[in-house]
Amino acid sequence: MTEADLERILWRGVLRVRLNAALRWTCAALSLGLGLAALLVAAARLAPGWSGGLLGGLGVLPWAVLAAAVLSFLRSRPAPARVALQIDQSAGLSEHLTTWEDLRRKPAPRDGVAQAFVLAQRQATLRQAQDLQAGRHIPLRLPAWSRVLLLGGLALGCALLMPERKAPRAEVSAAPAPAAAGQGAGGGHQGREVRRGEVLVQRVVHRL
């Protein structure tokens, strides 16, 4: 174990703290995205005429979640001293790593007693930091409220299973038009007159 190993452990701890921040913001953005997607799908089911515009907005949600993850990772800049203290508390190092991180940033002392103290503290930290792993003491974890994602997924599934509302059809009247009825009555009267004329012609021919 050397000081370069301690620096590597501290750097990995800082990276894991930033990743945990990205996970929290990603879960928050994904929860909001699932809720919004469920609302858009339900609105598209109830209003089929607007379904194209409503469902077109769903393509923005994955990019919004990705942007939240990247921005939260870039904006999270934990102080190395705070990360060292977190590792100390988890590993039970009695703040040796925190003291080492503080002393290494200060100029080397000129006093012999102070130099001996710094050297002794460094050696003690190296001994206690044997087999120290940042991943064991700063694990990557989802936030406790990440179960909200299940509710968002269920809401989206229910919205997708909703039946689409159909547009009402115009009722067709079964009553005949007055003009057509008049034409039918006139046609029947003309047919009776023609048959009466044929009967009269047959009687005249029979008498002759």
Side-chain angles (χ1 to χ4, degrees), residues 64-87:
V65 173
L66 179 61
V70 173
L71 290 177
S72 59
F73 179 83
L74 295 177
R75 295 189 61 181
S76 176
R77 297 178 181 179
R82 183 169 67 87
V83 176
L85 180 60
Q86 184 175 349
I87 296 176

mmCIF file of all heavy atoms in Angstrom, residues 64-87:
data_model
loop_
_atom_site.group_PDB
_atom_site.id
_atom_site.type_symbol
_atom_site.label_atom_id
_atom_site.label_comp_id
_atom_site.label_asym_id
_atom_site.label_seq_id
_atom_site.Cartn_x
_atom_site.Cartn_y
_atom_site.Cartn_z
ATOM 1 N N ALA A 64 -34.704 13.548 -22.234
ATOM 2 C CA ALA A 64 -34.768 14.334 -21.006
ATOM 3 C C ALA A 64 -34.166 13.564 -19.831
ATOM 4 O O ALA A 64 -33.445 14.131 -18.999
ATOM 5 C CB ALA A 64 -36.218 14.719 -20.704
ATOM 6 N N VAL A 65 -34.445 12.266 -19.765
ATOM 7 C CA VAL A 65 -33.868 11.441 -18.694
ATOM 8 C C VAL A 65 -32.346 11.367 -18.833
ATOM 9 O O VAL A 65 -31.601 11.479 -17.847
ATOM 10 C CB VAL A 65 -34.486 10.036 -18.710
ATOM 11 C CG1 VAL A 65 -33.796 9.116 -17.720
ATOM 12 C CG2 VAL A 65 -35.988 10.105 -18.402
ATOM 13 N N LEU A 66 -31.876 11.197 -20.058
ATOM 14 C CA LEU A 66 -30.428 11.138 -20.284
ATOM 15 C C LEU A 66 -29.766 12.468 -19.935
ATOM 16 O O LEU A 66 -28.677 12.497 -19.334
ATOM 17 C CB LEU A 66 -30.153 10.770 -21.742
ATOM 18 C CG LEU A 66 -28.683 10.680 -22.162
ATOM 19 C CD1 LEU A 66 -27.967 9.601 -21.354
ATOM 20 C CD2 LEU A 66 -28.565 10.398 -23.657
ATOM 21 N N ALA A 67 -30.416 13.565 -20.285
ATOM 22 C CA ALA A 67 -29.862 14.879 -19.959
ATOM 23 C C ALA A 67 -29.795 15.092 -18.451
ATOM 24 O O ALA A 67 -28.825 15.652 -17.931
ATOM 25 C CB ALA A 67 -30.703 15.972 -20.613
ATOM 26 N N ALA A 68 -30.818 14.629 -17.731
ATOM 27 C CA ALA A 68 -30.808 14.755 -16.269
ATOM 28 C C ALA A 68 -29.654 13.967 -15.657
ATOM 29 O O ALA A 68 -28.990 14.430 -14.717
ATOM 30 C CB ALA A 68 -32.137 14.281 -15.694
ATOM 31 N N ALA A 69 -29.386 12.769 -16.194
ATOM 32 C CA ALA A 69 -28.294 11.951 -15.676
ATOM 33 C C ALA A 69 -26.937 12.612 -15.913
ATOM 34 O O ALA A 69 -26.089 12.680 -15.013
ATOM 35 C CB ALA A 69 -28.330 10.566 -16.312
ATOM 36 N N VAL A 70 -26.727 13.118 -17.120
ATOM 37 C CA VAL A 70 -25.427 13.721 -17.458
ATOM 38 C C VAL A 70 -25.201 15.010 -16.669
ATOM 39 O O VAL A 70 -24.123 15.247 -16.105
ATOM 40 C CB VAL A 70 -25.348 13.972 -18.967
ATOM 41 C CG1 VAL A 70 -24.082 14.745 -19.319
ATOM 42 C CG2 VAL A 70 -25.375 12.654 -19.730
ATOM 43 N N LEU A 71 -26.227 15.861 -16.605
ATOM 44 C CA LEU A 71 -26.072 17.139 -15.901
ATOM 45 C C LEU A 71 -25.847 16.933 -14.406
ATOM 46 O O LEU A 71 -25.027 17.630 -13.794
ATOM 47 C CB LEU A 71 -27.302 18.008 -16.137
ATOM 48 C CG LEU A 71 -27.472 18.557 -17.550
ATOM 49 C CD1 LEU A 71 -28.768 19.342 -17.670
ATOM 50 C CD2 LEU A 71 -26.283 19.433 -17.935
ATOM 51 N N SER A 72 -26.561 15.976 -13.815
ATOM 52 C CA SER A 72 -26.370 15.732 -12.390
ATOM 53 C C SER A 72 -24.975 15.185 -12.095
ATOM 54 O O SER A 72 -24.360 15.521 -11.071
ATOM 55 C CB SER A 72 -27.436 14.755 -11.879
ATOM 56 O OG SER A 72 -27.354 13.520 -12.587
ATOM 57 N N PHE A 73 -24.437 14.366 -12.988
ATOM 58 C CA PHE A 73 -23.080 13.852 -12.794
ATOM 59 C C PHE A 73 -22.047 14.973 -12.911
ATOM 60 O O PHE A 73 -21.091 15.037 -12.124
ATOM 61 C CB PHE A 73 -22.783 12.751 -13.817
ATOM 62 C CG PHE A 73 -21.390 12.185 -13.712
ATOM 63 C CD1 PHE A 73 -21.104 11.201 -12.778
ATOM 64 C CD2 PHE A 73 -20.384 12.638 -14.546
ATOM 65 C CE1 PHE A 73 -19.822 10.686 -12.677
ATOM 66 C CE2 PHE A 73 -19.102 12.115 -14.456
ATOM 67 C CZ PHE A 73 -18.815 11.136 -13.518
ATOM 68 N N LEU A 74 -22.250 15.860 -13.879
ATOM 69 C CA LEU A 74 -21.284 16.948 -14.077
ATOM 70 C C LEU A 74 -21.349 17.985 -12.961
ATOM 71 O O LEU A 74 -20.322 18.557 -12.575
ATOM 72 C CB LEU A 74 -21.531 17.612 -15.430
ATOM 73 C CG LEU A 74 -21.287 16.748 -16.671
ATOM 74 C CD1 LEU A 74 -21.640 17.517 -17.935
ATOM 75 C CD2 LEU A 74 -19.843 16.262 -16.718
ATOM 76 N N ARG A 75 -22.532 18.218 -12.426
ATOM 77 C CA ARG A 75 -22.681 19.239 -11.395
ATOM 78 C C ARG A 75 -22.287 18.744 -10.011
ATOM 79 O O ARG A 75 -22.026 19.545 -9.116
ATOM 80 C CB ARG A 75 -24.115 19.745 -11.368
ATOM 81 C CG ARG A 75 -24.538 20.478 -12.634
ATOM 82 C CD ARG A 75 -25.885 21.146 -12.443
ATOM 83 N NE ARG A 75 -25.840 22.143 -11.367
ATOM 84 C CZ ARG A 75 -26.891 22.855 -10.986
ATOM 85 N NH1 ARG A 75 -28.056 22.683 -11.566
ATOM 86 N NH2 ARG A 75 -26.761 23.737 -10.006
ATOM 87 N N SER A 76 -22.256 17.431 -9.813
ATOM 88 C CA SER A 76 -21.877 16.884 -8.514
ATOM 89 C C SER A 76 -20.355 16.894 -8.389
ATOM 90 O O SER A 76 -19.646 16.179 -9.104
ATOM 91 C CB SER A 76 -22.417 15.450 -8.374
ATOM 92 O OG SER A 76 -21.982 14.884 -7.163
ATOM 93 N N ARG A 77 -19.844 17.712 -7.488
ATOM 94 C CA ARG A 77 -18.400 17.819 -7.273
ATOM 95 C C ARG A 77 -18.114 17.753 -5.770
ATOM 96 O O ARG A 77 -17.859 18.778 -5.127
ATOM 97 C CB ARG A 77 -17.862 19.116 -7.875
ATOM 98 C CG ARG A 77 -18.035 19.182 -9.398
ATOM 99 C CD ARG A 77 -17.541 20.493 -9.948
ATOM 100 N NE ARG A 77 -17.728 20.555 -11.401
ATOM 101 C CZ ARG A 77 -17.395 21.618 -12.134
ATOM 102 N NH1 ARG A 77 -16.877 22.700 -11.558
ATOM 103 N NH2 ARG A 77 -17.596 21.593 -13.445
ATOM 104 N N PRO A 78 -18.171 16.575 -5.199
ATOM 105 C CA PRO A 78 -17.946 16.459 -3.756
ATOM 106 C C PRO A 78 -16.499 16.753 -3.389
ATOM 107 O O PRO A 78 -15.568 16.445 -4.138
ATOM 108 C CB PRO A 78 -18.317 15.002 -3.460
ATOM 109 C CG PRO A 78 -18.056 14.295 -4.750
ATOM 110 C CD PRO A 78 -18.406 15.263 -5.840
ATOM 111 N N ALA A 79 -16.321 17.338 -2.237
ATOM 112 C CA ALA A 79 -14.970 17.624 -1.753
ATOM 113 C C ALA A 79 -14.283 16.327 -1.349
ATOM 114 O O ALA A 79 -14.902 15.454 -0.736
ATOM 115 C CB ALA A 79 -15.035 18.581 -0.572
ATOM 116 N N PRO A 80 -13.004 16.166 -1.703
ATOM 117 C CA PRO A 80 -12.299 14.939 -1.306
ATOM 118 C C PRO A 80 -12.282 14.715 0.197
ATOM 119 O O PRO A 80 -12.310 13.572 0.654
ATOM 120 C CB PRO A 80 -10.889 15.163 -1.857
ATOM 121 C CG PRO A 80 -11.064 16.120 -2.990
ATOM 122 C CD PRO A 80 -12.189 17.024 -2.575
ATOM 123 N N ALA A 81 -12.261 15.795 0.980
ATOM 124 C CA ALA A 81 -12.263 15.637 2.433
ATOM 125 C C ALA A 81 -13.566 15.002 2.917
ATOM 126 O O ALA A 81 -13.557 14.161 3.835
ATOM 127 C CB ALA A 81 -12.056 16.998 3.101
ATOM 128 N N ARG A 82 -14.681 15.398 2.300
ATOM 129 C CA ARG A 82 -15.966 14.807 2.699
ATOM 130 C C ARG A 82 -16.026 13.339 2.316
ATOM 131 O O ARG A 82 -16.568 12.508 3.058
ATOM 132 C CB ARG A 82 -17.109 15.578 2.039
ATOM 133 C CG ARG A 82 -18.486 15.088 2.441
ATOM 134 C CD ARG A 82 -19.552 16.064 1.953
ATOM 135 N NE ARG A 82 -19.648 16.081 0.511
ATOM 136 C CZ ARG A 82 -20.411 15.243 -0.191
ATOM 137 N NH1 ARG A 82 -21.125 14.311 0.430
ATOM 138 N NH2 ARG A 82 -20.472 15.335 -1.500
ATOM 139 N N VAL A 83 -15.496 12.988 1.138
ATOM 140 C CA VAL A 83 -15.480 11.586 0.720
ATOM 141 C C VAL A 83 -14.566 10.773 1.622
ATOM 142 O O VAL A 83 -14.882 9.642 2.014
ATOM 143 C CB VAL A 83 -15.034 11.491 -0.750
ATOM 144 C CG1 VAL A 83 -14.926 10.035 -1.185
ATOM 145 C CG2 VAL A 83 -16.003 12.235 -1.652
ATOM 146 N N ALA A 84 -13.407 11.345 1.995
ATOM 147 C CA ALA A 84 -12.498 10.639 2.901
ATOM 148 C C ALA A 84 -13.154 10.402 4.258
ATOM 149 O O ALA A 84 -12.993 9.325 4.857
ATOM 150 C CB ALA A 84 -11.220 11.452 3.066
ATOM 151 N N LEU A 85 -13.917 11.386 4.745
ATOM 152 C CA LEU A 85 -14.602 11.208 6.016
ATOM 153 C C LEU A 85 -15.669 10.117 5.920
ATOM 154 O O LEU A 85 -15.856 9.322 6.859
ATOM 155 C CB LEU A 85 -15.241 12.530 6.437
ATOM 156 C CG LEU A 85 -16.007 12.525 7.764
ATOM 157 C CD1 LEU A 85 -15.094 12.135 8.914
ATOM 158 C CD2 LEU A 85 -16.643 13.881 8.017
ATOM 159 N N GLN A 86 -16.363 10.036 4.783
ATOM 160 C CA GLN A 86 -17.371 9.000 4.603
ATOM 161 C C GLN A 86 -16.740 7.615 4.602
ATOM 162 O O GLN A 86 -17.279 6.668 5.193
ATOM 163 C CB GLN A 86 -18.131 9.246 3.290
ATOM 164 C CG GLN A 86 -19.275 8.287 3.049
ATOM 165 C CD GLN A 86 -20.065 8.642 1.799
ATOM 166 O OE1 GLN A 86 -19.890 9.716 1.215
ATOM 167 N NE2 GLN A 86 -20.940 7.740 1.381
ATOM 168 N N ILE A 87 -15.591 7.491 3.951
ATOM 169 C CA ILE A 87 -14.895 6.199 3.943
ATOM 170 C C ILE A 87 -14.385 5.863 5.339
ATOM 171 O O ILE A 87 -14.446 4.708 5.792
ATOM 172 C CB ILE A 87 -13.751 6.220 2.918
ATOM 173 C CG1 ILE A 87 -14.312 6.380 1.491
ATOM 174 C CG2 ILE A 87 -12.921 4.943 3.012
ATOM 175 C CD1 ILE A 87 -13.239 6.501 0.426
#
